[in-house]
Structures are given as C-alpha cells and as structure tokens.
Amino acid sequence: MTNEEQWWKKSLAQIAASVIFYTAIPLPYLDKLDFSQVARFAPAIGLMIGGILGLFDTGMNYLGVPILTRSALVVSVWIAITGGLHLDGVMDTADGLAVGDKERRLEVMTDSATGAFGAMAAIALLLLKTSALTDIHQNRWLVLMAACGWGRWGQILAIAQYPYLKLTGKGAFHQEAIRSYKDCLPGLLLVSCLSGLEILIDKRLFFALEMTLVGSAIAFVTGAWFNHKLGGHTGDTYGAVVEWTEALFLCLLTALESYE
C-alpha cells in the first residue's frame, strides 16, 4: 500500500470514527477505530448533519407540509441523528448550574437523573429552535448546515481555550486532539466558506458576512459563559455549547432576515 493510500485509509477511518461518536447514524462494523482525533472533524460532521436536515426539510416542503410542522419535524430528526448526545449535555449542565454550591456542581452534572432545571432547559432550547426555524423561509438548508457547523466549531473552540475539569470523562480525550487555536482554524475556514455561499446563491454579501460574524461570536460567547460559571468545561458543557450556539444562531438569523 502506497503512502497516499495509507493516508486516505486513515482519513476515512477517522471520519467514520467521528460519525460514530457524534451521531446515531448506523455504519458497518469497523475494527480498531481511533476516536482520539474525532474533535478535529466535528465541524465537518456538523455540516453533514445539517445537510441531512436540509434534505429532509426540502422533501417535506415538496410534500406541502406547513412550515411550523416542518420545523418541528426537523428538530425531532435533529435529536434523532445526534442520539440526544448534546441535548443530554444541556440538561446535565443546567442541573449543575442550578446548584448554589459551586463545589457540588460537577457532582450533580454526573448524575444520570434529569432534574427540573435540566428538563426546563431542554424544553426552552427546543422551543427556540422550532420557533426560529419557523420564521426562516429562505435557504433553510444552508441555515441548518451553518447552525450545525458553528455549533460544533464552538465546541472545539471551547476545547482549545479552557481547561477540562475532570481527570477522566467522555470529553477528556478531546484535549489531546485540540491543543491550540491553530487546530480551530480549519473548522473556522470550512464553516465561514459555507456561510459565504449566500453570496453565490442570492448575492447577499452582507448577510453572508453577518452569518459568519454572528456564528463565530455566539460560539465564542457560549463557551466563555460556561467557563465563567464553572471555571472550565466538561463533556456535558461541550454538548451545551453545541446546542445553545445552534439555537441562538437561528434566533439571531431571524432578526437579520427581518432587515433584509
């Protein structure tokens, strides 16, 4: 096997590992997959998820499904594709932040039982996503891809910026893959280029720039906020960064569209 063939085989194996880790999409059994580098591919996996959601939404549109129902179905499929991985992080993080004693927050977050604050956070987030999608009528497929991409870029930015609060855990090994801001640049370029498709599709230069600025700003702020509240991050807060970045990005896009 040549070096080029080995490189392609290794890259495809890493992509497969990322799909298995971040989604519930069934893949054939693959032996000896390395999951240590999956965080590097998170933004690309986000674009894939958003693309699937965009195709599903477009199909529902051709069938004449009303936009509110379409949006609710898209959000439901969104959860199914990810297996609720990030939504679980939202709930655990909300339960932890609801505890007044900062020393007990991590302990509460590791509890598998969902508390009242976790349930309320999940309901609020799903309502925000559904209502925001209902107000977005143009290029919904692109918006969905951008939301998923920026959400996962926010995750790797948080990995690069802030300390991990546990010695072990489902997100601990990400620190080995994302060591500096340089590791965030490929994902930033990828999602920025996607946002720039607005220029080619509808000649909306300023809207494309606004999508890029809004997406990167929200990704930065959500990670910084959880770090401020907890003094670092865990696997649960990485998931919360993804979900809240997606939801807030969609909400702000509705405001941007109203000015178009």
Side-chain angles (χ1 to χ4, degrees):
M1 185 179 294
T2 65
N3 290 336
E4 184 178 352
E5 290 174 335
Q6 289 179 339
W7 183 86
W8 277 108
K9 182 178 180 181
K10 182 179 179 181
S11 297
L12 290 173
Q14 289 178 335
I15 293 172
S18 300
V19 172
I20 291 171
F21 185 85
Y22 286 118
T23 77
I25 298 173
L27 290 180
Y29 175 76
L30 298 170
D31 191 25
K32 298 180 181 179
L33 286 178
D34 180 13
F35 290 91
S36 64
Q37 301 296 312
V38 295
R40 291 178 178 269
F41 296 89
I45 299 301
L47 298 193
M48 182 195 72
I49 293 171
I52 294 172
L53 295 175
L55 286 172
F56 178 72
D57 180 69
T58 301
M60 292 296 100
N61 185 34
Y62 279 124
L63 292 174
V65 178
I67 192 165
L68 177 58
T69 305
R70 274 165 53 201
S71 298
L73 286 170
V74 166
V75 172
S76 299
V77 173
W78 205 334
I79 299 171
I81 290 176
T82 61
L85 174 67
H86 305 306
L87 189 60
D88 179 68
V90 169
M91 294 187 287
D92 288 341
T93 301
D95 284 334
L97 291 177
V99 177
D101 183 2
K102 292 185 178 181
E103 301 298 324
R104 290 193 59 244
R105 284 179 175 173
L106 291 182
E107 179 185 342
V108 171
M109 288 167 64
T110 57
D111 190 346
S112 60
T114 300
F117 286 95
M120 288 187 288
I123 292 170
L125 185 137
L126 296 178
L127 284 174
L128 286 175
K129 281 189 174 182
T130 303
S131 58
L133 270 176
T134 302
D135 289 331
I136 295 172
H137 299 83
Q138 193 169 355
N139 297 333
R140 283 164 60 95
W141 63 271
L142 179 59
V143 168
L144 285 164
M145 291 181 71
C148 293
W150 284 118
R152 283 150 187 81
W153 185 75
Q155 171 191 315
I156 65 172
L157 185 64
I159 295 169
Q161 278 189 301
Y162 307 114
Y164 195 78
L165 294 176
K166 299 178 182 178
L167 295 177
T168 59
K170 58 185 177 183
F173 64 92
H174 289 329
Q175 296 286 326
E176 297 298 319
I178 308 297
R179 293 177 176 271
S180 70
Y181 291 108
K182 291 181 180 179
D183 295 322
C184 301
L185 293 179
L188 176 62
L189 179 62
L190 178 65
V191 187
S192 297
C193 288
L194 174 82
S195 299
L197 286 178
E198 277 287 351
I199 303 172
L200 298 177
I201 297 171
D202 290 327
K203 311 298 182 185
R204 296 198 293 176
L205 171 61
F206 288 108
F207 189 75
L209 292 174
E210 288 166 344
M211 283 180 66
T212 301
L213 290 174
V214 165
S216 56
I218 293 174
F220 175 82
V221 169
T222 51
W225 189 82
F226 286 120
N227 176 70
H228 170 71
K229 300 298 288 186
L230 293 168
H233 276 265
T234 68
D236 287 324
T237 60
Y238 290 156
V241 168
V242 172
E243 290 283 356
W244 283 113
T245 299
E246 290 173 344
L248 294 175
F249 177 79
L250 292 175
C251 290
L252 281 179
L253 277 195
T254 63
L256 295 178
E257 279 211 337
S258 67
Y259 289 104
E260 285 289 313

